[in-house]
Amino acid sequence: MRQERLMLYCQLKEEQKRIEDALDTLREEIIAAYASDAEFHLHNYTLKIIYQEKRVYDDKLVFSALPDPELWKAVCKTDPSKIAALVKTNVLPERLLEGTYRTTRTAYLYVQP
């Protein structure tokens, strides 16, 4: 009985890995086909592809761009959410950050029944 359960568990884990690999491949193919946000209704499913842009800051460039070294204590490390909050509250002007980051695009695929 124990060996049968262990064998079944191992087989199911292998099947789970195959399914996850197949889903990853399909996800990559679907996202590659659409360069911008998209939404589809197929039978009872809604599929959404949403692109989100994120800034990846360079610590050294941000530090040199800050007008007051004391601001670095508030930022500590270039945490995009902290920097966004400082920009939003006008503590840190957006123009000072030009050239201190690169933008990456991340695609998300949502499926809703």
Side-chain angles (χ1 to χ4, degrees):
M1 174 71 170
R2 288 183 184 164
Q3 286 184 345
E4 291 172 1
R5 302 301 277 172
L6 289 172
M7 183 58 83
L8 177 60
Y9 181 83
C10 291
Q11 289 171 347
L12 290 172
K13 288 300 282 183
E14 287 177 9
E15 186 175 338
Q16 179 184 18
K17 175 73 171 123
R18 282 193 302 272
I19 290 171
E20 287 174 355
D21 288 346
L23 285 170
D24 286 344
T25 301
L26 284 171
R27 178 188 172 281
E28 289 174 13
E29 290 174 6
I30 291 168
I31 288 173
Y34 299 93
S36 61
D37 294 357
E39 183 172 333
F40 307 95
H41 300 282
L42 304 169
H43 302 289
N44 295 331
Y45 295 96
T46 300
L47 286 86
K48 293 181 182 179
I49 299 170
I50 299 172
Y51 281 89
Q52 184 178 40
E53 291 190 358
K54 296 181 181 180
R55 291 182 176 181
V56 179
Y57 290 93
D58 181 304
D59 289 345
K60 292 177 187 175
L61 294 175
V62 170
F63 181 73
S64 65
L66 295 177
D68 181 1
E70 290 297 312
L71 276 177
W72 186 248
K73 290 179 183 175
V75 175
C76 194
K77 185 175 187 261
T78 52
D79 179 343
S81 61
K82 288 182 182 179
I83 292 174
L86 291 172
V87 169
K88 188 173 184 179
T89 58
N90 293 321
V91 172
L92 182 61
E94 178 77 26
R95 63 179 166 68
L96 290 179
L97 295 171
E98 290 178 8
T100 65
Y101 61 87
R102 61 182 168 79
T103 304
T104 61
R105 288 184 79 211
T106 304
Y108 296 94
L109 175 62
Y110 299 99
V111 178
Q112 300 169 341

